[in-house]
Amino acid sequence: PEIEKAISRNVRRKVKEAAQAGYRVRPIRGREEMDSYYEIHCETYRRTGASPHPKEYFLGIYDQFATRGLSKIWVAVNRRDEAVGFTNIGIFKNGALYWTTCCRGEDFGHGVYYLLLWHAIEVAKAEGLEWFDCAEAFPTAPAGSKERGLSDFKAKFGGELHRYWKARMVLRAARSETA
């Protein structure tokens, strides 16, 4: 298939290594697994030096998006069926969007991130979606930064860079302290 030709040999190798090490990906079984998702998210963010999102952020994704088919959440499990990583992919119209992901430190080097993202891409294609957006990239970020590592990781999946615009609209003026 065309998408397999676009990915790097590194991605193919890492996905194969993860599978051979006994990792596999399955859909999340229910809201009760969001506790594990959040625990692994916090561990990931501490490891990468970022501040974790609040737990309510992830519960909101599950309650408002996943339950309505507007996102898909997958869990990577090890040979003992223990959760070691998660990914959440937003679904919008005829496409998919890489949204959140996390992985335990001890499993990080075994290709779990590669296995999760490749699985999400394969499912999107199998379900007839037309595009898969790996989300924002930071190609000019400093070497060694989290943003650069994320950009380099995403680039290995063979996508094309496109302009990414961020905007914020103020809907209501902030109240002053004296009002």
Side-chain angles (χ1 to χ4, degrees), residues 48 98 108 113-114 136-157:
T48 61
Y98 174 96
F108 173 77
Y113 280 129
Y114 293 89
E136 189 172 11
F138 308 90
T140 61
S145 68
K146 178 181 179 176
E147 290 83 6
R148 181 59 175 269
L150 190 56
S151 295
D152 293 347
F153 169 73
K154 291 174 180 181
K156 294 175 184 180
F157 288 85

Side-chain angles (χ1 to χ4, degrees), residues 91-141:
I91 307 297
F92 182 71
K93 296 186 179 185
N94 59 344
L97 173 68
Y98 174 96
W99 195 345
T100 64
T101 195
C102 58
C103 179
R104 291 203 185 277
E106 66 225 39
D107 302 286
F108 173 77
H110 298 285
V112 171
Y113 280 129
Y114 293 89
L115 185 66
L116 281 164
L117 185 54
W118 183 242
H119 177 80
I121 291 168
E122 285 186 311
V123 170
K125 181 166 176 47
E127 291 183 355
L129 297 179
E130 294 177 19
W131 50 267
F132 191 100
D133 188 334
C134 284
E136 189 172 11
F138 308 90
T140 61

Side-chain angles (χ1 to χ4, degrees), residues 23-152:
Y23 295 99
R24 62 186 174 78
V25 178
R26 64 165 171 77
I28 193 170
R29 292 184 178 140
R31 194 175 199 264
E32 63 277 2
E33 284 194 293
M34 294 305 289
D35 289 338
S36 187
Y37 192 145
Y38 189 67
E39 175 192 332
I40 296 172
H41 163 74
C42 289
E43 177 184 326
T44 300
Y45 270 49
R46 280 192 299 273
R47 184 177 68 244
T48 61
S51 297
H53 296 294
K55 187 173 186 180
E56 291 72 26
Y57 175 76
F58 294 97
L59 295 176
I61 290 171
Y62 183 83
D63 293 342
Q64 300 300 317
F65 293 87
T67 59
R68 298 183 356 205
L70 300 173
S71 81
K72 298 198 180 271
I73 302 174
W74 286 287
V75 56
V77 297
N78 61 19
R79 289 185 194 276
R80 296 178 303 280
D81 203 40
E82 298 165 329
V84 300
F86 288 84
T87 196
N88 169 43
I89 306 300
I91 307 297
F92 182 71
K93 296 186 179 185
N94 59 344
L97 173 68
Y98 174 96
W99 195 345
T100 64
T101 195
C102 58
C103 179
R104 291 203 185 277
E106 66 225 39
D107 302 286
F108 173 77
H110 298 285
V112 171
Y113 280 129
Y114 293 89
L115 185 66
L116 281 164
L117 185 54
W118 183 242
H119 177 80
I121 291 168
E122 285 186 311
V123 170
K125 181 166 176 47
E127 291 183 355
L129 297 179
E130 294 177 19
W131 50 267
F132 191 100
D133 188 334
C134 284
E136 189 172 11
F138 308 90
T140 61
S145 68
K146 178 181 179 176
E147 290 83 6
R148 181 59 175 269
L150 190 56
S151 295
D152 293 347

